[in-house]
Amino acid sequence: MRDNKSKQSMKPAPTKYRHLFFDLDHTLWDFDANAKESLTEIYNIFELESKFVSPFEFFYSTYLKHNAILWDRFEKGYITSEELKWKRMWRTLVDFRIGDEKLAKEMSAKFLEILPTKKRVFDYTFEILDYLTEKNYSIHLITNGFEKTQWSKLNNSALAKYFTHVITSETSNSMKPQKEIFEYALKKTNGNIEECIMIGDNLNADIQGALNAGMDAIFVNHIKANHSFKPTHTVYHLKELEFIL
């Protein structure tokens, strides 16, 4: 077990970093909680229970399964963002024997309208961003999320003010873990790679992607996952970033 008392007495180590690149979803913005809340609204708005899509938890787990499969295909370039958006709903409905493409597209549009309005972030998100801002770091985002959706999340959750640059897969024409998105971020921020560090929850996209590009990386292991990766640092709570930065 980690000694929390001893950590509390530690002082932050001197740091060489100037530019901090955060991931958004699952790192700062609590995607799972916000998505579940949004899907609950979708379930009720479209009266899915009356269409024999029940119970909600089964609908939710089915959606998560197809969302994960299609996101993987999207990140590998096999499908477009538009296909991802509606096909995850369509495939979910098909599992309930509802082959209604029109309904799937309506559900997708409403979901993408509701989701970015949600405001739940991980514990200590605002405190750590205030702390880092006060220490004069340049704070940025690198995200694979959709441009319009991510900006809506940032504005609605009051996070936008903390970030100097927001680099999305759409603006950079590349996606994590591809090194091109990290190179784009360096050019956008005029950062030297030895003064930059990536902070994220995804071992492949955020951590391995950054390391492959020559950038240090902090793994935010909210779920305490077991893994064989070797990030530059690992934290289990956002407050622990204070002992690194």
Side-chain angles (χ1 to χ4, degrees):
M1 289 182 63
R2 290 171 290 116
D3 187 341
N4 291 327
K5 288 185 179 179
S6 64
K7 278 208 164 187
Q8 289 172 1
S9 65
M10 292 170 59
K11 293 182 179 180
T15 176
K16 63 180 180 178
Y17 305 112
R18 292 182 58 245
H19 295 276
L20 312 181
F21 295 95
F22 276 91
D23 171 57
L24 180 60
D25 296 334
H26 305 285
T27 299
L28 299 174
W29 196 78
D30 193 341
F31 185 92
D32 290 342
N34 290 319
K36 188 170 186 178
E37 189 176 316
S38 301
L39 287 165
T40 301
E41 292 185 36
I42 293 296
Y43 187 82
N44 293 326
I45 290 169
F46 290 92
E47 301 179 336
L48 296 182
E49 187 172 10
S50 69
K51 297 178 174 63
F52 303 102
V53 180
S54 63
F56 168 76
E57 289 297 334
F58 188 26
F59 163 75
Y60 178 63
S61 63
T62 303
Y63 169 85
L64 290 181
K65 176 186 71 175
H66 290 299
N67 183 56
I69 292 170
L70 289 170
W71 258 103
D72 181 66
R73 290 183 58 77
F74 169 61
E75 289 181 339
K76 290 176 178 175
Y78 297 141
I79 62 173
T80 66
S81 61
E82 290 307 311
E83 288 176 299
L84 164 65
K85 290 173 184 177
W86 73 268
K87 282 190 174 179
R88 55 191 175 183
M89 292 294 183
W90 180 72
R91 285 191 175 191
T92 299
L93 291 175
V94 167
D95 274 13
F96 290 92
R97 299 184 180 181
I98 301 174
D100 191 334
E101 183 176 318
K102 181 175 181 291
L103 174 60
K105 289 182 175 179
E106 289 174 351
M107 288 170 59
S108 174
K110 180 59 71 173
F111 176 66
L112 291 174
E113 176 186 321
I114 294 172
L115 179 64
T117 68
K118 302 302 178 184
K119 302 176 181 180
R120 293 180 68 172
V121 297
F122 284 98
D123 182 41
Y124 213 72
T125 290
F126 291 107
E127 290 87 345
I128 195 61
L129 291 174
D130 284 333
Y131 167 86
L132 296 170
T133 299
E134 289 169 6
K135 295 197 70 174
N136 294 318
Y137 287 106
S138 293
I139 309 174
H140 318 285
L141 276 178
I142 303 180
T143 171
N144 282 349
F146 306 122
E147 180 84 5
K148 181 179 178 181
T149 302
Q150 299 304 73
W151 272 109
S152 293
K153 291 175 186 175
L154 291 170
N155 288 321
N156 284 309
S157 61
L159 289 173
K161 66 181 181 180
Y162 293 102
F163 301 103
T164 304
H165 293 286
V166 175
I167 293 98
T168 68
S169 53
E170 289 181 63
T171 57
S172 66
N173 292 314
S174 56
M175 301 183 69
K176 296 178 293 184
Q178 297 169 359
K179 67 177 182 179
E180 286 81 6
I181 193 169
F182 296 97
E183 292 171 348
Y184 179 91
L186 291 174
K187 290 178 182 177
K188 189 77 174 177
T189 59
N190 293 318
N192 296 318
I193 200 159
E194 65 273 9
E195 297 177 332
C196 300
I197 193 164
M198 180 72 205
I199 305 165
D201 74 291
N202 189 298
L203 284 167
N204 182 49
D206 299 320
I207 306 308
Q208 196 61 57
L211 294 176
N212 288 347
M215 185 184 296
D216 286 354
I218 301 174
F219 176 38
V220 182
N221 193 357
H222 285 301
I223 62 173
K224 298 179 174 61
N226 294 319
H227 63 90
S228 59
F229 282 73
K230 294 182 179 180
T232 313
H233 302 280
T234 297
V235 299
Y236 299 88
H237 189 283
L238 291 173
K239 183 173 176 55
E240 294 175 27
L241 292 173
E242 293 179 4
F243 305 113
I244 301 169
L245 301 169

